[in-house]
Amino acid sequence: MKRVLILAIVAATAGVVFGGDSQDRTGGKQIRVGFAQIGAESDWRKANTESIKAEAAARKIDLKFSDAQQKQENQIKAIRAFIAQGVDVIAFSPVVETGWEPVLKECKRAGIPVILTDRAVDTQDPSLYLTFIGADFVEEGRRAANWVVKSVGDKANIAELQGTPGSAPAIDRKKGFEEVLKQHPGLKIIKSQSGEFTRAKGKEVMESFLKSPEGKQINVLFAHNDDMALGAIQAIEEAGLKPGADVKVVSIDGVRAAFEAMVAGKLNCTVECNPLLGPQLFDAVDAIMAKKELPRRIVTKESVFEQSEAATAIKDRKY
Ligand code: AHR
């Protein structure tokens, strides 16, 4: 247990490289990895896909990539196709937390190791996947709430734009945010609805929040990702209000467009969620191929960025 924890911390902080060239260890045979992506719903997701494809190409891995367009059944179909093709490793970011056990059991029966990236699954059987690489979403929610406490104070009427219903980031970010709010009874969530992690839906839902009887009381927006916040910012402006001032905005991801919005004074804070998981994913694939031990959990390292530091920090943004 202690060893697993040490490995996780080392992998999370130092980006441990477990392997080397991906062709040599299989006796010249190219490693084949199936990756079932959720879709392209946000800038974060596009950066994540790009990181995975670029890293696979750099390591000369034969990557079979599938885009599920937000549908769990498409991800399941893709995973079944990877099993039929007999890939060496299957990796995926589960769109929602539940409903994966049957297909994960099929992977296990076929003897194909599974890596989860970005999002976790809800299962009682730990043998169904080898490792989970990704952020601590509960902590991200806490960080967003701590920013509200620090910058807005102990009294606020908060509107919340949640991510995809049933997804790990939507469940966990809400949990972390509310955990902090419990200690500050004056901070109230007065509107909460899913904006499905997209700009268009974020805008649409924020419009309806602002038109509702409670609309005029909203002075803080917590969006589970930057894309929804960016859509909502448009809605706030169209309602004749100043985003970043009349309605303070905090969101999660740290994509370039969020930094641009901070520089423009329209977004107040973004909590980073690192999408550049390609190197860690293929380090894990290399470790599996080399039959090396893997930590069960690899947590990515992340920060919080406020408006005041955006102009400088944007220069170093990679996504
Ligand atoms: O799972 C990570 C989340 O999914 C990101 O916060 C969001 O932008 C994405 O679509």
Side-chain angles (χ1 to χ4, degrees), residues 38 41-45 118-119 137 140 169 173 197 224-227 252-253 273:
I38 293 173
E41 72 281 4
S42 60
D43 286 0
W44 188 100
R45 186 67 53 202
D118 164 35
R119 299 184 183 181
F137 294 138
E140 289 172 350
R173 287 171 182 168
F197 281 133
H224 289 192
N225 82 344
D226 289 339
D227 276 73
I252 296 176
D253 275 356
C273 178

mmCIF file of all heavy atoms in Angstrom, residues 38 41-45 118-119 137 140 169 173 197 224-227 252-253 273, ligand 1:
data_model
loop_
_atom_site.group_PDB
_atom_site.id
_atom_site.type_symbol
_atom_site.label_atom_id
_atom_site.label_comp_id
_atom_site.label_asym_id
_atom_site.label_seq_id
_atom_site.Cartn_x
_atom_site.Cartn_y
_atom_site.Cartn_z
ATOM 1 N N ILE A 38 -14.079 10.551 -25.517
ATOM 2 C CA ILE A 38 -15.475 10.956 -25.302
ATOM 3 C C ILE A 38 -16.034 11.696 -26.511
ATOM 4 O O ILE A 38 -17.130 11.420 -26.983
ATOM 5 C CB ILE A 38 -15.569 11.881 -24.061
ATOM 6 C CG1 ILE A 38 -15.228 11.101 -22.788
ATOM 7 C CG2 ILE A 38 -16.942 12.536 -23.971
ATOM 8 C CD1 ILE A 38 -15.136 11.954 -21.549
ATOM 9 N N GLU A 41 -16.091 18.014 -27.067
ATOM 10 C CA GLU A 41 -17.068 18.976 -26.532
ATOM 11 C C GLU A 41 -16.454 20.302 -26.074
ATOM 12 O O GLU A 41 -17.163 21.282 -25.964
ATOM 13 C CB GLU A 41 -17.852 18.319 -25.375
ATOM 14 C CG GLU A 41 -17.096 18.098 -24.068
ATOM 15 C CD GLU A 41 -16.172 16.873 -24.066
ATOM 16 O OE1 GLU A 41 -16.047 16.220 -25.111
ATOM 17 O OE2 GLU A 41 -15.566 16.599 -23.021
ATOM 18 N N SER A 42 -15.134 20.307 -25.793
ATOM 19 C CA SER A 42 -14.530 21.512 -25.213
ATOM 20 C C SER A 42 -13.106 21.688 -25.716
ATOM 21 O O SER A 42 -12.512 20.753 -26.273
ATOM 22 C CB SER A 42 -14.502 21.370 -23.682
ATOM 23 O OG SER A 42 -13.729 20.224 -23.331
ATOM 24 N N ASP A 43 -12.545 22.893 -25.477
ATOM 25 C CA ASP A 43 -11.138 23.122 -25.833
ATOM 26 C C ASP A 43 -10.246 22.150 -25.053
ATOM 27 O O ASP A 43 -9.222 21.700 -25.544
ATOM 28 C CB ASP A 43 -10.735 24.567 -25.497
ATOM 29 C CG ASP A 43 -11.333 25.554 -26.488
ATOM 30 O OD1 ASP A 43 -12.041 25.114 -27.423
ATOM 31 O OD2 ASP A 43 -11.108 26.771 -26.330
ATOM 32 N N TRP A 44 -10.637 21.873 -23.814
ATOM 33 C CA TRP A 44 -9.885 20.937 -22.976
ATOM 34 C C TRP A 44 -9.785 19.577 -23.665
ATOM 35 O O TRP A 44 -8.721 18.990 -23.783
ATOM 36 C CB TRP A 44 -10.595 20.769 -21.619
ATOM 37 C CG TRP A 44 -9.823 19.986 -20.596
ATOM 38 C CD1 TRP A 44 -9.086 20.498 -19.570
ATOM 39 C CD2 TRP A 44 -9.702 18.562 -20.497
ATOM 40 N NE1 TRP A 44 -8.507 19.479 -18.853
ATOM 41 C CE2 TRP A 44 -8.878 18.272 -19.397
ATOM 42 C CE3 TRP A 44 -10.199 17.484 -21.230
ATOM 43 C CZ2 TRP A 44 -8.542 16.982 -19.008
ATOM 44 C CZ3 TRP A 44 -9.856 16.187 -20.849
ATOM 45 C CH2 TRP A 44 -9.046 15.946 -19.748
ATOM 46 N N ARG A 45 -10.940 19.096 -24.155
ATOM 47 C CA ARG A 45 -10.982 17.755 -24.765
ATOM 48 C C ARG A 45 -10.134 17.720 -26.032
ATOM 49 O O ARG A 45 -9.444 16.744 -26.312
ATOM 50 C CB ARG A 45 -12.437 17.388 -25.077
ATOM 51 C CG ARG A 45 -12.661 15.982 -25.582
ATOM 52 C CD ARG A 45 -12.390 14.900 -24.566
ATOM 53 N NE ARG A 45 -13.100 15.100 -23.326
ATOM 54 C CZ ARG A 45 -12.732 14.570 -22.167
ATOM 55 N NH1 ARG A 45 -11.687 13.775 -22.072
ATOM 56 N NH2 ARG A 45 -13.426 14.816 -21.065
ATOM 57 N N ASP A 118 -8.244 10.587 -17.386
ATOM 58 C CA ASP A 118 -9.095 11.754 -17.137
ATOM 59 C C ASP A 118 -10.258 11.469 -16.182
ATOM 60 O O ASP A 118 -10.379 12.110 -15.166
ATOM 61 C CB ASP A 118 -9.571 12.338 -18.494
ATOM 62 C CG ASP A 118 -10.732 13.286 -18.375
ATOM 63 O OD1 ASP A 118 -10.790 14.000 -17.378
ATOM 64 O OD2 ASP A 118 -11.577 13.310 -19.287
ATOM 65 N N ARG A 119 -11.127 10.508 -16.515
ATOM 66 C CA ARG A 119 -12.306 10.259 -15.674
ATOM 67 C C ARG A 119 -12.326 8.818 -15.143
ATOM 68 O O ARG A 119 -11.932 7.904 -15.864
ATOM 69 C CB ARG A 119 -13.581 10.500 -16.479
ATOM 70 C CG ARG A 119 -13.704 11.920 -16.988
ATOM 71 C CD ARG A 119 -15.019 12.147 -17.692
ATOM 72 N NE ARG A 119 -15.100 13.489 -18.247
ATOM 73 C CZ ARG A 119 -16.138 13.967 -18.900
ATOM 74 N NH1 ARG A 119 -17.219 13.204 -19.077
ATOM 75 N NH2 ARG A 119 -16.136 15.177 -19.377
ATOM 76 N N PHE A 137 -10.780 15.789 -9.195
ATOM 77 C CA PHE A 137 -11.886 16.711 -9.494
ATOM 78 C C PHE A 137 -12.524 17.300 -8.230
ATOM 79 O O PHE A 137 -13.016 18.429 -8.251
ATOM 80 C CB PHE A 137 -12.977 15.990 -10.299
ATOM 81 C CG PHE A 137 -12.564 15.552 -11.679
ATOM 82 C CD1 PHE A 137 -12.938 14.304 -12.171
ATOM 83 C CD2 PHE A 137 -11.830 16.374 -12.511
ATOM 84 C CE1 PHE A 137 -12.600 13.896 -13.446
ATOM 85 C CE2 PHE A 137 -11.472 15.983 -13.797
ATOM 86 C CZ PHE A 137 -11.863 14.737 -14.258
ATOM 87 N N GLU A 140 -10.511 20.160 -7.285
ATOM 88 C CA GLU A 140 -10.750 21.305 -8.183
ATOM 89 C C GLU A 140 -11.994 22.092 -7.736
ATOM 90 O O GLU A 140 -11.993 23.318 -7.743
ATOM 91 C CB GLU A 140 -10.937 20.813 -9.614
ATOM 92 C CG GLU A 140 -9.650 20.305 -10.241
ATOM 93 C CD GLU A 140 -9.869 19.633 -11.606
ATOM 94 O OE1 GLU A 140 -11.029 19.394 -11.993
ATOM 95 O OE2 GLU A 140 -8.871 19.338 -12.264
ATOM 96 N N PRO A 169 -16.353 14.405 -13.500
ATOM 97 C CA PRO A 169 -16.034 15.793 -13.146
ATOM 98 C C PRO A 169 -17.245 16.586 -12.666
ATOM 99 O O PRO A 169 -17.112 17.452 -11.784
ATOM 100 C CB PRO A 169 -15.456 16.383 -14.442
ATOM 101 C CG PRO A 169 -15.811 15.452 -15.531
ATOM 102 C CD PRO A 169 -15.990 14.107 -14.899
ATOM 103 N N ARG A 173 -16.730 17.773 -8.904
ATOM 104 C CA ARG A 173 -16.505 19.218 -8.745
ATOM 105 C C ARG A 173 -17.616 19.831 -7.900
ATOM 106 O O ARG A 173 -17.369 20.692 -7.058
ATOM 107 C CB ARG A 173 -16.411 19.889 -10.126
ATOM 108 C CG ARG A 173 -15.104 19.550 -10.818
ATOM 109 C CD ARG A 173 -15.043 19.992 -12.264
ATOM 110 N NE ARG A 173 -13.765 19.571 -12.844
ATOM 111 C CZ ARG A 173 -13.479 19.585 -14.143
ATOM 112 N NH1 ARG A 173 -14.378 19.991 -15.014
ATOM 113 N NH2 ARG A 173 -12.301 19.187 -14.571
ATOM 114 N N PHE A 197 -20.964 20.849 -20.498
ATOM 115 C CA PHE A 197 -19.554 21.125 -20.800
ATOM 116 C C PHE A 197 -19.345 21.857 -22.133
ATOM 117 O O PHE A 197 -18.226 21.904 -22.627
ATOM 118 C CB PHE A 197 -18.709 19.838 -20.803
ATOM 119 C CG PHE A 197 -18.318 19.330 -19.437
ATOM 120 C CD1 PHE A 197 -18.471 17.988 -19.093
ATOM 121 C CD2 PHE A 197 -17.775 20.185 -18.483
ATOM 122 C CE1 PHE A 197 -18.094 17.507 -17.838
ATOM 123 C CE2 PHE A 197 -17.399 19.717 -17.226
ATOM 124 C CZ PHE A 197 -17.561 18.378 -16.906
ATOM 125 N N HIS A 224 -18.475 24.427 -14.257
ATOM 126 C CA HIS A 224 -17.629 23.243 -14.121
ATOM 127 C C HIS A 224 -16.550 23.157 -15.202
ATOM 128 O O HIS A 224 -15.688 22.291 -15.123
ATOM 129 C CB HIS A 224 -18.469 21.962 -14.145
ATOM 130 C CG HIS A 224 -19.294 21.734 -12.919
ATOM 131 N ND1 HIS A 224 -19.921 20.531 -12.645
ATOM 132 C CD2 HIS A 224 -19.612 22.554 -11.883
ATOM 133 C CE1 HIS A 224 -20.587 20.627 -11.505
ATOM 134 N NE2 HIS A 224 -20.415 21.842 -11.026
ATOM 135 N N ASN A 225 -16.654 23.978 -16.262
ATOM 136 C CA ASN A 225 -15.501 24.092 -17.175
ATOM 137 C C ASN A 225 -15.478 25.474 -17.832
ATOM 138 O O ASN A 225 -16.453 26.231 -17.766
ATOM 139 C CB ASN A 225 -15.443 22.948 -18.207
ATOM 140 C CG ASN A 225 -16.349 23.145 -19.416
ATOM 141 O OD1 ASN A 225 -17.259 23.969 -19.390
ATOM 142 N ND2 ASN A 225 -16.098 22.394 -20.465
ATOM 143 N N ASP A 226 -14.333 25.772 -18.446
ATOM 144 C CA ASP A 226 -14.146 27.101 -19.051
ATOM 145 C C ASP A 226 -15.103 27.324 -20.216
ATOM 146 O O ASP A 226 -15.610 28.434 -20.402
ATOM 147 C CB ASP A 226 -12.710 27.246 -19.578
ATOM 148 C CG ASP A 226 -11.677 27.359 -18.472
ATOM 149 O OD1 ASP A 226 -12.040 27.710 -17.340
ATOM 150 O OD2 ASP A 226 -10.488 27.091 -18.756
ATOM 151 N N ASP A 227 -15.326 26.299 -21.025
ATOM 152 C CA ASP A 227 -16.182 26.499 -22.199
ATOM 153 C C ASP A 227 -17.568 26.996 -21.798
ATOM 154 O O ASP A 227 -18.101 27.934 -22.399
ATOM 155 C CB ASP A 227 -16.302 25.200 -23.015
ATOM 156 C CG ASP A 227 -15.127 25.047 -23.967
ATOM 157 O OD1 ASP A 227 -14.018 24.751 -23.475
ATOM 158 O OD2 ASP A 227 -15.302 25.251 -25.190
ATOM 159 N N ILE A 252 -13.282 26.027 -14.434
ATOM 160 C CA ILE A 252 -12.229 25.003 -14.295
ATOM 161 C C ILE A 252 -11.716 24.604 -15.676
ATOM 162 O O ILE A 252 -12.510 24.495 -16.618
ATOM 163 C CB ILE A 252 -12.788 23.776 -13.540
ATOM 164 C CG1 ILE A 252 -13.173 24.173 -12.109
ATOM 165 C CG2 ILE A 252 -11.771 22.622 -13.509
ATOM 166 C CD1 ILE A 252 -13.820 23.106 -11.272
ATOM 167 N N ASP A 253 -10.447 24.408 -15.800
ATOM 168 C CA ASP A 253 -9.714 23.864 -16.964
ATOM 169 C C ASP A 253 -8.406 24.615 -17.197
ATOM 170 O O ASP A 253 -7.366 23.984 -17.314
ATOM 171 C CB ASP A 253 -10.504 23.892 -18.285
ATOM 172 C CG ASP A 253 -11.417 22.678 -18.462
ATOM 173 O OD1 ASP A 253 -11.370 21.778 -17.588
ATOM 174 O OD2 ASP A 253 -12.183 22.632 -19.425
ATOM 175 N N CYS A 273 -6.996 22.246 -14.900
ATOM 176 C CA CYS A 273 -7.183 20.793 -15.011
ATOM 177 C C CYS A 273 -6.364 20.399 -16.237
ATOM 178 O O CYS A 273 -6.713 20.766 -17.360
ATOM 179 C CB CYS A 273 -8.666 20.467 -15.216
ATOM 180 S SG CYS A 273 -8.984 18.702 -15.413
HETATM 181 O O1 AHR B 1 -13.146 15.410 -17.810
HETATM 182 C C1 AHR B 1 -12.566 16.668 -17.926
HETATM 183 C C2 AHR B 1 -13.597 17.648 -18.372
HETATM 184 O O2 AHR B 1 -14.175 17.238 -19.594
HETATM 185 C C3 AHR B 1 -13.105 19.051 -18.635
HETATM 186 O O3 AHR B 1 -13.148 19.886 -17.532
HETATM 187 C C4 AHR B 1 -14.112 19.512 -19.629
HETATM 188 O O4 AHR B 1 -13.773 20.710 -20.259
HETATM 189 C C5 AHR B 1 -14.162 18.323 -20.491
HETATM 190 O O5 AHR B 1 -15.037 18.326 -21.508
#
